[in-house]
Amino acid sequence: MIKNTHLYNIVFSRDDYMEVLMKLENHQDSIYPVKAKKVISNLDHATSMEDRNPYNEVLDELYNVMDVLHIERVDRPVQSAFLNVREILDYISEIHQKLDDINEIKRGIKKDYYENQEAIELISCLHRDRISIDDIHELKYVALRFGKLPLSQIEKIKYFDSYPFVYQELSHSDQFAWVVYGGVEHSIGEIDNIFSSMNFEEVKLPQFAHGKMEEAVAELKAENKTMEAYLQELDQRIEKVKEDNEEQLLGDFWKAYRLKELYKKGKYVVDLKTKAAIYAFSSLSKDEIEGIVNIPGLTIHELPIDTYQDQGVEGPVYVENNAFFQPFECLFTFKPGEKFDPTILAGVVMMISAFVLLGDLGVGILCILLSLVARGNIGKLLQRVGVAVTIGGLLSGTVFYSMSLYDSIFVVGTNYAMKIGLFFAINIVVLLVCSLVKKVTKRSIKSKGGLSWQ
């Protein structure tokens, strides 16, 4: 059965247009909007709602803060079409400020921790070379620098033999040499420049490191242990920020995501300044549309179905059949203005002809098995035809038309090639006749393209 199609002009407050879009989108199978550009040519001072999407920025910020907090974007249902973008951006800014404060403290602690680690390594080198830390602190007129020099730079030192400095390698690691160099106070600046050009990294001895080196190392390790505990506490603070804000961020993210996608559908909304309108085709009644939208100040006008046919706008065709015959709808294409739906007639003829002319157990079961592989209406159609052929096969008792399991109860001739040809001939004639009747009974209407929510 072909249902009646209506064209509605749905008018509402401009402030409500996102909520209206959200409600209409939930009925995409029964409500088909017309692009605003197709109808505004007939309206004075009207424009389409297409504009820069206001939800891009807030969505980008939500992506960013959720990635920083390692929040998985688990889907959340969206109940409302309202989102205060400025409020959400301020809320995200507050979260970033909390995280920045924590991370700033972490960076300072990690810097001190790394320096302590290097000081421990340096003190160990001095201990192996029997260099006294107290003697270093008591030096006058001579400046010493301790630190790391990349192994790739060691060979370059020989080019500076004429400069007034002393240099000693203390130990090697995989990438660096721990070294000490020194010179008199008045020329140490020039020497520092030489070693800086070779990527020398100075490591300063802590002021408290004196006396026994073992005690200095133990003190540095104790300080690092305290810093490790504090770093763990700071990580827990970040986790607390995540726990306190995860649900809110997820809710705002999916709402902003949904609204961004909805805003793209502004191309279906006609901007009438204080009001907005959507022109849509539907098989639903006016009362049903009002029940779906259900907002204050809503007005709906039904227009002639061919109002905008000159702009290339035509309505969809709604075909409705019971579940058993629905697969046979794929045998026809329906165009606007057509009133005759031959689906049931074609389905009945096909199944009866299959039962009478193709009845065979083997072929019927094969059709049913093939229907499990085929998708959509083709598979369902094949299944129904297969059942009809199988029932016919129970009466004929044949398997692939070559073997008889028992005496036939009912059979129409034994020339199987002729019967198969007759089956196709009957159904092709029925399809052609039905298509002809569809055209004869069709209302006169221009056909210029369909509609969708895409």
Side-chain angles (χ1 to χ4, degrees):
M1 178 181 70
I2 297 178
K3 301 173 69 175
N4 287 331
T5 302
H6 309 277
L7 174 60
Y8 295 112
N9 174 22
I10 306 169
V11 183
F12 44 88
S13 170
R14 193 178 189 278
D15 296 334
D16 295 328
Y17 92 93
M18 290 299 288
E19 184 176 354
V20 172
L21 280 175
M22 182 175 286
K23 290 181 176 180
L24 293 182
E25 192 188 33
N26 292 329
H27 297 80
Q28 294 186 47
D29 293 338
S30 54
I31 301 175
Y32 292 81
V34 179
K35 287 184 179 179
K37 289 181 179 178
K38 294 278 190 177
V39 299
I40 58 178
S41 59
N42 290 349
L43 302 172
D44 293 332
H45 309 297
T47 59
S48 170
M49 278 285 197
E50 293 181 278
D51 197 356
R52 187 184 71 85
N53 199 311
Y55 300 100
N56 285 336
E57 181 184 3
V58 68
L59 195 60
D60 288 343
E61 290 297 326
L62 285 164
Y63 268 115
N64 178 261
V65 72
M66 292 173 75
D67 286 342
V68 169
L69 291 172
H70 305 292
I71 295 176
E72 186 178 353
R73 288 180 276 277
V74 181
D75 199 0
R76 289 285 190 277
V78 177
Q79 303 296 336
S80 169
F82 175 75
L83 185 72
N84 189 321
V85 172
R86 185 71 264 160
E87 188 177 294
I88 298 301
L89 289 174
D90 290 344
Y91 166 62
I92 294 172
S93 180
E94 291 174 6
I95 294 176
H96 277 303
Q97 187 59 55
K98 291 179 183 178
L99 295 175
D100 289 345
D101 292 345
I102 295 172
N103 286 323
E104 182 65 29
I105 297 172
K106 285 182 68 176
R107 281 191 291 272
I109 292 174
K110 286 181 177 180
K111 179 176 179 294
D112 293 342
Y113 183 89
Y114 179 70
E115 289 175 353
N116 281 1
Q117 288 291 96
E118 293 196 321
I120 291 171
E121 180 69 23
L122 177 58
I123 291 171
S124 299
C125 292
L126 296 177
H127 181 62
R128 285 194 295 270
D129 286 62
R130 295 183 174 86
I131 299 174
S132 169
I133 296 179
D134 289 334
D135 290 344
I136 294 171
H137 285 318
E138 292 172 3
L139 280 174
K140 293 181 179 179
Y141 312 117
V142 175
L144 295 180
R145 302 285 190 262
F146 298 89
K148 299 185 300 182
L149 189 66
L151 293 177
S152 60
Q153 302 291 324
I154 295 293
E155 288 297 317
K156 296 180 181 179
I157 295 177
K158 64 184 179 183
Y159 298 118
F160 303 99
D161 285 344
S162 60
Y163 287 82
F165 68 85
V166 293
Y167 159 82
Q168 181 178 341
E169 295 180 21
L170 301 176
S171 69
H172 286 181
S173 65
D174 291 339
Q175 296 178 314
F176 297 96
W178 287 89
V179 302
V180 56
Y181 69 84
V184 294
E185 290 280 2
H186 72 271
S187 62
I188 195 65
E190 184 180 9
I191 300 168
D192 286 340
N193 290 335
I194 292 171
F195 277 85
S196 293
S197 69
M198 294 185 288
N199 299 320
F200 174 79
E201 296 180 29
E202 184 180 5
V203 177
K204 294 186 179 295
L205 285 170
Q207 291 299 318
F208 62 78
H210 55 80
K212 292 183 179 180
M213 293 189 180
E214 294 85 351
E215 294 177 359
V217 170
E219 190 166 347
L220 286 168
K221 287 183 176 179
E223 188 175 294
N224 275 6
K225 190 171 183 180
T226 301
M227 285 191 280
E228 287 173 359
Y230 193 34
L231 285 171
Q232 288 181 352
E233 181 184 333
L234 291 172
D235 287 336
Q236 290 171 358
R237 289 187 193 177
I238 292 176
E239 189 63 28
K240 184 70 165 56
V241 173
K242 174 183 176 179
E243 291 174 1
D244 291 345
N245 297 280
E246 184 168 8
E247 288 301 315
Q248 178 70 35
L249 288 172
L250 277 171
D252 290 340
F253 172 83
W254 286 111
K255 188 179 290 186
Y257 182 86
R258 181 78 185 279
L259 290 173
K260 177 184 176 180
E261 294 303 306
L262 273 177
Y263 198 87
K264 294 178 182 177
K265 295 180 172 58
K267 60 187 176 184
Y268 298 112
V269 182
V270 178
D271 187 357
L272 302 172
K273 306 311 177 188
T274 60
K275 295 282 188 178
I278 292 177
Y279 292 77
F281 291 99
S282 178
S283 63
L284 302 177
S285 68
K286 181 178 175 180
D287 290 340
E288 287 174 317
I289 298 290
E290 288 178 345
I292 290 171
V293 180
N294 191 26
I295 59 169
L298 174 73
T299 58
I300 299 178
H301 307 283
E302 183 170 358
L303 306 175
I305 196 72
D306 57 355
T307 300
Y308 295 104
Q309 66 177 0
D310 290 336
Q311 280 85 2
V313 176
E314 65 175 21
V317 180
Y318 294 94
V319 180
E320 185 178 66
N321 289 289
N322 63 51
F324 184 82
F325 285 102
Q326 274 182 0
F328 294 95
E329 291 174 2
C330 68
L331 297 173
F332 303 96
T333 57
F334 296 91
K335 296 181 179 180
E338 292 183 345
K339 291 296 184 180
F340 174 57
D341 177 14
T343 300
I344 295 177
L345 174 61
V348 170
V349 171
M350 184 172 289
M351 286 188 292
I352 290 176
S353 60
F355 165 77
V356 174
L357 299 172
L358 303 183
D360 181 272
L361 289 172
V363 174
I365 293 172
L366 180 61
C367 288
I368 293 173
L369 293 176
L370 288 175
S371 73
L372 301 176
V373 179
R375 295 182 178 181
N377 282 337
I378 295 295
K380 294 176 182 178
L381 185 150
L382 197 58
Q383 180 190 61
R384 285 152 176 72
V385 172
V387 170
V389 174
T390 302
I391 294 173
L394 291 173
L395 298 179
S396 68
T398 60
V399 179
F400 293 113
Y401 308 119
S402 60
M403 182 174 64
S404 181
L405 299 180
Y406 46 81
D407 292 337
S408 299
I409 300 172
F410 171 80
V411 65
V412 179
T414 56
N415 189 332
Y416 296 113
M418 183 178 291
K419 289 196 296 182
I420 293 172
L422 186 59
F423 167 79
F424 283 105
I426 290 173
N427 284 280
I428 290 172
V429 169
V430 169
L431 292 178
L432 291 174
V433 170
C434 289
S435 297
L436 181 61
V437 173
K438 280 166 72 242
K439 288 183 178 180
V440 170
T441 58
K442 178 182 177 182
R443 285 190 299 119
S444 176
I445 184 170
K446 294 181 181 179
S447 179
K448 296 185 180 178
L451 301 162
S452 75
W453 275 89
Q454 301 305 315

PDB file of all heavy atoms in Angstrom, residues 156-168:
ATOM      1  N   LYS A 156      87.803  16.714  20.760  1.00  0.00           N
ATOM      2  CA  LYS A 156      87.962  18.132  20.415  1.00  0.00           C
ATOM      3  C   LYS A 156      88.786  18.902  21.453  1.00  0.00           C
ATOM      4  O   LYS A 156      89.267  20.012  21.165  1.00  0.00           O
ATOM      5  CB  LYS A 156      86.595  18.795  20.258  1.00  0.00           C
ATOM      6  CG  LYS A 156      85.778  18.223  19.099  1.00  0.00           C
ATOM      7  CD  LYS A 156      84.430  18.925  18.988  1.00  0.00           C
ATOM      8  CE  LYS A 156      83.602  18.344  17.845  1.00  0.00           C
ATOM      9  NZ  LYS A 156      82.277  18.997  17.745  1.00  0.00           N
ATOM     10  N   ILE A 157      88.919  18.327  22.656  1.00  0.00           N
ATOM     11  CA  ILE A 157      89.622  19.055  23.730  1.00  0.00           C
ATOM     12  C   ILE A 157      91.063  19.349  23.334  1.00  0.00           C
ATOM     13  O   ILE A 157      91.632  20.387  23.703  1.00  0.00           O
ATOM     14  CB  ILE A 157      89.559  18.246  25.045  1.00  0.00           C
ATOM     15  CG1 ILE A 157      88.102  18.154  25.519  1.00  0.00           C
ATOM     16  CG2 ILE A 157      90.410  18.887  26.132  1.00  0.00           C
ATOM     17  CD1 ILE A 157      87.915  17.317  26.755  1.00  0.00           C
ATOM     18  N   LYS A 158      91.694  18.465  22.562  1.00  0.00           N
ATOM     19  CA  LYS A 158      93.110  18.648  22.203  1.00  0.00           C
ATOM     20  C   LYS A 158      93.346  19.921  21.381  1.00  0.00           C
ATOM     21  O   LYS A 158      94.463  20.437  21.316  1.00  0.00           O
ATOM     22  CB  LYS A 158      93.614  17.428  21.446  1.00  0.00           C
ATOM     23  CG  LYS A 158      92.934  17.197  20.099  1.00  0.00           C
ATOM     24  CD  LYS A 158      93.435  15.908  19.454  1.00  0.00           C
ATOM     25  CE  LYS A 158      92.749  15.659  18.116  1.00  0.00           C
ATOM     26  NZ  LYS A 158      93.176  14.369  17.508  1.00  0.00           N
ATOM     27  N   TYR A 159      92.266  20.430  20.746  1.00  0.00           N
ATOM     28  CA  TYR A 159      92.421  21.651  19.952  1.00  0.00           C
ATOM     29  C   TYR A 159      92.559  22.906  20.818  1.00  0.00           C
ATOM     30  O   TYR A 159      92.837  23.988  20.314  1.00  0.00           O
ATOM     31  CB  TYR A 159      91.235  21.829  19.003  1.00  0.00           C
ATOM     32  CG  TYR A 159      91.097  20.705  17.998  1.00  0.00           C
ATOM     33  CD1 TYR A 159      89.967  19.909  17.973  1.00  0.00           C
ATOM     34  CD2 TYR A 159      92.106  20.429  17.085  1.00  0.00           C
ATOM     35  CE1 TYR A 159      89.824  18.863  17.060  1.00  0.00           C
ATOM     36  CE2 TYR A 159      91.991  19.399  16.167  1.00  0.00           C
ATOM     37  CZ  TYR A 159      90.847  18.613  16.162  1.00  0.00           C
ATOM     38  OH  TYR A 159      90.727  17.579  15.258  1.00  0.00           O
ATOM     39  N   PHE A 160      92.339  22.728  22.147  1.00  0.00           N
ATOM     40  CA  PHE A 160      92.390  23.884  23.053  1.00  0.00           C
ATOM     41  C   PHE A 160      93.535  23.758  24.056  1.00  0.00           C
ATOM     42  O   PHE A 160      93.487  24.299  25.162  1.00  0.00           O
ATOM     43  CB  PHE A 160      91.054  24.024  23.795  1.00  0.00           C
ATOM     44  CG  PHE A 160      89.862  24.160  22.885  1.00  0.00           C
ATOM     45  CD1 PHE A 160      89.062  23.062  22.600  1.00  0.00           C
ATOM     46  CD2 PHE A 160      89.566  25.371  22.297  1.00  0.00           C
ATOM     47  CE1 PHE A 160      87.972  23.181  21.761  1.00  0.00           C
ATOM     48  CE2 PHE A 160      88.476  25.500  21.459  1.00  0.00           C
ATOM     49  CZ  PHE A 160      87.678  24.400  21.177  1.00  0.00           C
ATOM     50  N   ASP A 161      94.585  23.020  23.681  1.00  0.00           N
ATOM     51  CA  ASP A 161      95.719  22.796  24.598  1.00  0.00           C
ATOM     52  C   ASP A 161      96.402  24.096  25.014  1.00  0.00           C
ATOM     53  O   ASP A 161      96.990  24.187  26.094  1.00  0.00           O
ATOM     54  CB  ASP A 161      96.766  21.878  23.936  1.00  0.00           C
ATOM     55  CG  ASP A 161      96.304  20.434  23.919  1.00  0.00           C
ATOM     56  OD1 ASP A 161      95.354  20.112  24.662  1.00  0.00           O
ATOM     57  OD2 ASP A 161      96.869  19.620  23.140  1.00  0.00           O
ATOM     58  N   SER A 162      96.331  25.111  24.180  1.00  0.00           N
ATOM     59  CA  SER A 162      97.043  26.367  24.473  1.00  0.00           C
ATOM     60  C   SER A 162      96.316  27.231  25.499  1.00  0.00           C
ATOM     61  O   SER A 162      96.866  28.233  25.964  1.00  0.00           O
ATOM     62  CB  SER A 162      97.244  27.164  23.181  1.00  0.00           C
ATOM     63  OG  SER A 162      95.992  27.489  22.589  1.00  0.00           O
ATOM     64  N   TYR A 163      95.091  26.840  25.842  1.00  0.00           N
ATOM     65  CA  TYR A 163      94.314  27.643  26.797  1.00  0.00           C
ATOM     66  C   TYR A 163      94.681  27.232  28.226  1.00  0.00           C
ATOM     67  O   TYR A 163      94.972  26.053  28.499  1.00  0.00           O
ATOM     68  CB  TYR A 163      92.819  27.460  26.567  1.00  0.00           C
ATOM     69  CG  TYR A 163      92.313  28.162  25.316  1.00  0.00           C
ATOM     70  CD1 TYR A 163      92.447  27.559  24.059  1.00  0.00           C
ATOM     71  CD2 TYR A 163      91.747  29.425  25.400  1.00  0.00           C
ATOM     72  CE1 TYR A 163      92.014  28.199  22.912  1.00  0.00           C
ATOM     73  CE2 TYR A 163      91.292  30.067  24.247  1.00  0.00           C
ATOM     74  CZ  TYR A 163      91.440  29.456  23.009  1.00  0.00           C
ATOM     75  OH  TYR A 163      91.005  30.089  21.869  1.00  0.00           O
ATOM     76  N   PRO A 164      94.591  28.188  29.160  1.00  0.00           N
ATOM     77  CA  PRO A 164      95.052  27.929  30.538  1.00  0.00           C
ATOM     78  C   PRO A 164      93.990  27.203  31.386  1.00  0.00           C
ATOM     79  O   PRO A 164      93.270  27.819  32.180  1.00  0.00           O
ATOM     80  CB  PRO A 164      95.333  29.323  31.080  1.00  0.00           C
ATOM     81  CG  PRO A 164      94.361  30.197  30.356  1.00  0.00           C
ATOM     82  CD  PRO A 164      94.230  29.624  28.982  1.00  0.00           C
ATOM     83  N   PHE A 165      93.839  25.906  31.192  1.00  0.00           N
ATOM     84  CA  PHE A 165      92.916  25.145  32.045  1.00  0.00           C
ATOM     85  C   PHE A 165      93.471  23.742  32.239  1.00  0.00           C
ATOM     86  O   PHE A 165      94.301  23.255  31.459  1.00  0.00           O
ATOM     87  CB  PHE A 165      91.509  25.089  31.449  1.00  0.00           C
ATOM     88  CG  PHE A 165      91.397  24.277  30.193  1.00  0.00           C
ATOM     89  CD1 PHE A 165      91.207  22.886  30.243  1.00  0.00           C
ATOM     90  CD2 PHE A 165      91.464  24.882  28.943  1.00  0.00           C
ATOM     91  CE1 PHE A 165      91.091  22.142  29.084  1.00  0.00           C
ATOM     92  CE2 PHE A 165      91.344  24.141  27.779  1.00  0.00           C
ATOM     93  CZ  PHE A 165      91.160  22.762  27.846  1.00  0.00           C
ATOM     94  N   VAL A 166      93.009  23.122  33.326  1.00  0.00           N
ATOM     95  CA  VAL A 166      93.338  21.715  33.583  1.00  0.00           C
ATOM     96  C   VAL A 166      92.065  20.904  33.398  1.00  0.00           C
ATOM     97  O   VAL A 166      90.958  21.405  33.609  1.00  0.00           O
ATOM     98  CB  VAL A 166      93.921  21.506  35.000  1.00  0.00           C
ATOM     99  CG1 VAL A 166      95.280  22.168  35.121  1.00  0.00           C
ATOM    100  CG2 VAL A 166      92.961  22.044  36.054  1.00  0.00           C
ATOM    101  N   TYR A 167      92.231  19.646  33.017  1.00  0.00           N
ATOM    102  CA  TYR A 167      91.060  18.814  32.663  1.00  0.00           C
ATOM    103  C   TYR A 167      91.351  17.372  33.056  1.00  0.00           C
ATOM    104  O   TYR A 167      92.472  16.877  32.886  1.00  0.00           O
ATOM    105  CB  TYR A 167      90.812  18.925  31.161  1.00  0.00           C
ATOM    106  CG  TYR A 167      90.005  17.794  30.570  1.00  0.00           C
ATOM    107  CD1 TYR A 167      88.614  17.794  30.652  1.00  0.00           C
ATOM    108  CD2 TYR A 167      90.641  16.715  29.939  1.00  0.00           C
ATOM    109  CE1 TYR A 167      87.884  16.756  30.097  1.00  0.00           C
ATOM    110  CE2 TYR A 167      89.910  15.683  29.392  1.00  0.00           C
ATOM    111  CZ  TYR A 167      88.524  15.702  29.463  1.00  0.00           C
ATOM    112  OH  TYR A 167      87.804  14.672  28.941  1.00  0.00           O
ATOM    113  N   GLN A 168      90.326  16.715  33.622  1.00  0.00           N
ATOM    114  CA  GLN A 168      90.507  15.308  33.990  1.00  0.00           C
ATOM    115  C   GLN A 168      89.196  14.559  33.793  1.00  0.00           C
ATOM    116  O   GLN A 168      88.121  15.046  34.173  1.00  0.00           O
ATOM    117  CB  GLN A 168      90.967  15.174  35.452  1.00  0.00           C
ATOM    118  CG  GLN A 168      91.188  13.719  35.882  1.00  0.00           C
ATOM    119  CD  GLN A 168      91.680  13.596  37.313  1.00  0.00           C
ATOM    120  OE1 GLN A 168      92.195  14.563  37.883  1.00  0.00           O
ATOM    121  NE2 GLN A 168      91.520  12.425  37.899  1.00  0.00           N
TER     122      GLN A 168
END
